[in-house]
Amino acid sequence: MTAVFLCNDDEVPRSAVELANASVTVLNDLCLNPRQIIPMISDDETSLVMGIHSGAVNLGAVQAIARRLGWDPLSLGVFDMAGAVDDEQVRLATAASVARSSHFPGSTPDQVKLLPSDRTTRRGLLSVGAPVYVGAPMVDPSSCVAGDGCRACAAACPADALSWTGGAIEYSINACIACGICVTACPIGAIRNPSADPTAIEAEIRTVITESSDPIGIRYRCRDSQVDCEPGWHLVEVPCTGMLTVGWLLAPRFLGAAASDAVSCSVGGCGLANDQRLEMTLRDSARASEALWSEHGGAPELSQTSAETVWLAHRSTGRVLEAAAPPASGLAISFEATDVGLVTIDPTMCTACEMCAQVCPTDALASSVNGSGVHITLDPRLCVACGQCVATCPEVDKGAISLSRQFDLSEWQLGRREVRHEPTPLCEICGQPVAPAAMLSRIEEMLGEDATATMAMISRRCVSCRGR
Amino acid sequence: MTLERLSRLRQGVYRLFGAGFSYPTRDLLTAAGGAPALFEGLGVFDYAFGPDVHDAAIVLAEADLDELSVAYVALFEAGVAGAACPPSESAHRSNARTGEVATLQSELKRMVMRFGLRLDEDAEDIADHIATEMDVMAMLCRRETELRSGDESVARVLASESELLSDHLLRWVPGFSEMVREADRHIAYSTLASAVRSLLAHEKQLLPLLVGESRGQG
């Protein structure tokens, strides 16, 4: 059961708000005296949602109340009633906050970021009241693939809070701005931020769509933005709209929303280029929407509608596009910046050295060696266009490998398949593969004419048997 | 006023940890009994570490002295191959055979002297014990409180706190507290370990902000 408290400091009656899984209480002066809720909490209530007027309440004080009640303050659902225009918006915002709060994944002490207050003054740090905290990311070292060469989070972080140092991704919570960009940048979902949990955010979106009696749009907004909710829209708070992907923007449409978009927190630029990042994503999203609507001749229908599917989980863009595209359409969309890629290998230039497969963080490219040679396979579903394969390929200057940011349904439908096969001569002593024939040819080409003896040795014997 | 209250709270919390990681006595349990109300009065729930610290004080106060003593010895003093969770920095950061233990302890003693403090004779040999380091931090917070109440500059004492935190506490206490939590020998020590981890994670963020603020005092 969720305890819901709504401030009654305006003229809109809140008595109509009733939810099955929550006890709703409307209080006068809630914003001015949030502590009045403490004695009202009962034992069967396990989470807290508050509808307040953001300009009138100290969020730090509200978080302190949650702590005192034994709840994680980051699980607190707080929504601004000042921007709500009618009872219906308040009802939807309440239901959405309850859903998101009840899906809160929990946090650890390392995932709590102390937010310096804008109101901090020379003599007055923290003197404005209890400090405000937000969720901070944490990298799961057991699943992180930075050791294989992935730097997606460090490359995406606008605050240089993530870096590759000493054989691991190092994280500085003091440099971090808790924007959540690393969460969606990580190709394998190894970064968790309790304030940007895809499952909780999707639960909010699904609830709003289900509960709304009229068509409703989903509008993502930055944590720090002060946007009023327009009629027909529901605001979904994310740490920073720079973290959004095309998948995050499209998924609400396919879940039943009438529209979806996002607003940045800044007017003149956020200083970290996150607003520019959002603009590119919005352009890519518009491109994808146009293509999908055109293929369908109307609103797309999802081929998978399971309630268990979390569409906002990592690598969401491709999954959403695949589910929304007509199966026989051969839909192909080129993107500017989004996280869907297609790798092409030129067999006439590739030496089958396997470097691309070794650094691929998602195993979209994989390789194996058997008696018939080296086999490199590609599963386009797993490619996030990180570019590691291209950056690592020793023959990239010759065009051995290329990457384009595009979704191609026909490629996805093929699934994993072989994109390169190169025979390998077998060792004359042990019978194991020596090296790909193309690689041996390339070495011979580099060594020149005087390499006959060397080539005779390295092409007949494997590394283990060369000294014998 | 709020910053003074915060330094008083931090002083109390470090003092609790200093006492909590010392050999348990009746006085310790009595003092811990008064800590929750004291902390609450100082606004402990305003801070992310609040609930963990509050819980630790309550669990410590309610612990049975004999059981606590047995657990203390098992965790921090005895054992076939030494203590299960050695409570000294040198055990976690240095190699005894190369003389690093003595070097680290000397470094700590010099640092404490630089801070204008002096270790008791009893603490001389355990300068790197967690209880000693926590007590030193508590003393620095106490000085910070005094300076703040007199409206004097706290920049220097905050620099000392930052040095102790980043050069020593953060380098080994999180790992040590994880060992204590995993050993799970007594709920009081497991809770204390969670609380100290929570506090230090918060201190890592708070102290740079306080230092920045003190520089702005001009």
Side-chain angles (χ1 to χ4, degrees):
Chain A
M1 182 72 89
T2 302
V4 179
F5 294 95
L6 305 177
C7 184
N8 195 32
D9 290 351
D10 52 43
E11 295 176 358
V12 182
R14 310 296 178 205
S15 52
V17 179
E18 283 184 8
L19 293 168
N21 52 349
S23 64
V24 182
T25 310
V26 182
L27 293 170
N28 292 325
D29 296 331
L30 176 64
C31 295
L32 297 176
N33 179 23
R35 289 170 63 91
Q36 62 179 303
I37 69 168
I38 293 175
M40 299 181 190
I41 302 293
S42 63
D43 289 344
D44 61 340
E45 289 166 333
T46 53
S47 57
L48 176 63
V49 163
M50 294 174 77
I52 56 172
H53 299 85
S54 62
V57 74
N58 173 7
L59 184 57
V62 176
Q63 291 185 334
I65 291 168
R67 256 179 237 114
R68 181 186 296 270
L69 292 168
W71 296 329
D72 189 326
L74 297 184
S75 74
L76 191 62
V78 177
F79 64 92
D80 187 3
M81 301 214 303
V85 292
D86 55 29
D87 283 358
E88 173 67 359
Q89 277 190 331
V90 172
R91 189 180 71 78
L92 284 180
T94 307
S97 282
V98 169
R100 184 154 171 177
S101 182
S102 59
H103 283 80
F104 179 71
S107 70
T108 69
D110 299 317
Q111 288 179 300
V112 180
K113 165 86 181 164
L114 173 58
L115 212 56
S117 169
D118 290 343
R119 290 170 289 178
T120 299
T121 58
R122 289 175 64 193
R123 302 284 295 172
L125 179 74
L126 311 177
S127 63
V128 290
V132 176
Y133 297 86
V134 293
M138 193 161 75
V139 182
D140 176 4
S142 65
S143 50
C144 176
V145 289
D148 293 338
C150 179
R151 303 287 182 270
C153 58
C157 178
D160 293 331
L162 290 154
S163 58
W164 170 255
T165 316
I169 290 291
E170 196 154 295
Y171 168 63
S172 165
I173 196 165
N174 289 329
C176 177
I177 56 169
C179 63
I181 285 175
C182 54
V183 174
T184 47
C186 178
I188 55 159
I191 302 180
R192 294 271 175 188
N193 178 336
S195 294
D197 183 67
T199 307
I201 293 172
E202 189 166 320
E204 173 177 353
I205 293 169
R206 283 178 186 266
T207 300
V208 168
I209 293 167
T210 309
E211 291 283 328
S212 178
S213 47
D214 296 318
I216 189 149
I218 297 297
R219 175 169 289 157
Y220 294 99
R221 72 167 179 93
C222 289
R223 178 183 59 217
D224 299 327
S225 69
Q226 301 291 327
V227 249
D228 284 344
C229 191
E230 293 173 22
W233 288 87
H234 171 76
L235 293 172
V236 175
E237 182 183 305
V238 291
C240 168
T241 44
M243 73 175 285
L244 299 175
T245 65
V246 170
W248 281 55
L249 283 161
L250 290 181
R253 303 294 305 271
F254 306 144
L255 291 169
S260 63
D261 72 358
V263 285
S264 170
C265 61
S266 61
V267 178
C270 75
L272 292 161
N274 291 352
D275 46 355
Q276 292 165 29
R277 189 189 298 261
L278 172 64
E279 280 171 26
M280 283 195 290
T281 308
L282 286 170
R283 282 199 294 271
D284 277 349
S285 176
R287 203 171 284 148
S289 295
E290 194 179 327
L292 282 167
W293 260 252
S294 166
E295 287 290 347
H296 281 280
E301 289 177 6
L302 282 182
S303 59
Q304 302 164 43
T305 52
S306 164
E308 286 77 37
T309 307
V310 181
W311 292 102
L312 301 189
H314 61 285
R315 291 200 299 269
S316 64
T317 302
R319 291 192 301 117
V320 168
L321 291 173
E322 185 188 28
S329 65
L331 179 74
I333 311 165
S334 291
F335 290 116
E336 187 179 347
T338 205
D339 54 342
V340 179
L342 190 62
V343 175
T344 309
I345 291 178
D346 180 349
T348 63
M349 292 299 164
C350 170
T351 61
C353 70
E354 302 175 81
M355 291 287 284
C356 55
Q358 285 171 21
V359 298
C360 180
T362 60
D363 291 334
L365 283 165
S367 68
S368 60
V369 182
N370 59 23
S372 69
V374 174
H375 304 263
I376 296 176
T377 59
L378 169 70
D379 186 346
R381 282 189 174 86
L382 302 178
C383 181
V384 291
C386 68
Q388 285 293 324
C389 51
V390 174
T392 313
C393 176
E395 304 297 333
V396 69
D397 293 344
K398 296 180 182 295
I401 194 167
S402 60
L403 170 71
S404 55
R405 287 185 186 276
Q406 73 173 92
F407 172 82
D408 189 326
L409 183 64
S410 53
E411 293 281 348
W412 275 54
Q413 286 168 336
L414 287 175
R416 184 173 289 283
R417 81 277 188 179
E418 191 167 278
V419 289
R420 180 83 173 98
H421 169 232
E422 182 66 23
T424 52
L426 301 179
C427 175
E428 62 186 12
I429 295 179
C430 69
Q432 292 299 308
V434 174
M439 187 191 292
L440 293 170
S441 300
R442 179 83 177 105
I443 292 170
E444 187 172 13
E445 180 189 325
M446 292 170 77
L447 290 176
E449 291 175 0
D450 298 335
T452 313
T454 308
M455 288 311 300
M457 170 60 76
I458 65 172
S459 58
R460 290 207 319 266
R461 293 188 181 182
C462 70
V463 177
S464 306
C465 296
R466 276 176 206 156
R468 295 188 187 176
Chain B
M1 232 3 233
T2 306
L3 286 179
E4 186 186 331
R5 198 172 73 144
L6 174 59
S7 58
R8 284 180 61 202
L9 172 65
R10 292 174 55 238
Q11 175 193 338
V13 173
Y14 277 114
R15 188 72 196 92
L16 175 79
F17 289 144
F21 285 112
S22 301
Y23 187 79
T25 63
R26 181 69 56 202
D27 287 348
L28 160 70
L29 301 188
T30 307
L38 175 72
F39 291 164
E40 201 166 343
L42 292 170
V44 74
F45 289 110
D46 286 355
Y47 304 98
F49 61 82
D52 288 339
V53 166
H54 194 255
D55 285 354
I58 290 173
V59 173
L60 205 55
E62 291 174 352
D64 177 87
L65 183 59
D66 292 338
E67 287 178 11
L68 205 59
S69 306
V70 171
Y72 186 91
V73 172
L75 279 171
F76 307 129
E77 292 189 341
V80 176
C85 309
S88 302
E89 184 175 349
S90 52
H92 296 261
R93 288 190 56 208
S94 57
N95 184 340
R97 278 183 283 183
T98 58
E100 286 173 347
V101 174
T103 307
L104 196 144
Q105 287 189 341
S106 303
E107 183 190 310
L108 266 162
K109 285 178 201 168
R110 278 200 306 277
M111 189 179 76
V112 170
M113 285 173 70
R114 241 185 322 110
F115 292 166
L117 302 171
R118 195 166 55 83
L119 294 175
D120 289 343
E121 267 182 35
D122 294 346
E124 278 279 323
D125 296 335
I126 50 166
D128 62 337
H129 193 285
I130 185 168
T132 311
E133 292 188 5
M134 292 287 160
D135 279 346
V136 170
M137 190 61 116
M139 290 303 293
L140 292 173
C141 292
R142 179 180 165 180
R143 185 178 296 164
E144 182 192 332
T145 306
E146 290 166 357
L147 291 169
R148 286 194 189 280
S149 65
D151 210 18
E152 294 177 62
S153 171
V154 291
R156 208 167 148 186
V157 72
L158 284 173
S160 301
E161 289 175 28
S162 299
E163 185 182 345
L164 177 58
L165 181 75
S166 57
D167 291 357
H168 295 278
L169 293 173
L170 283 176
R171 292 196 179 187
W172 73 281
V173 176
F176 162 75
S177 64
E178 200 52 42
M179 285 173 82
V180 176
R181 270 158 33 99
E182 281 176 11
D184 199 22
R185 187 67 172 73
H186 191 291
I187 188 173
Y189 289 119
S190 304
T191 314
L192 208 58
S194 295
V196 80
R197 176 178 170 234
S198 191
L199 175 74
L200 293 186
H202 192 270
E203 290 282 89
K204 192 162 88 174
Q205 298 182 63
L206 178 67
L207 271 171
L209 290 176
L210 292 175
V211 167
E213 186 271 344
S214 72
R215 285 184 184 142
Q217 282 180 353

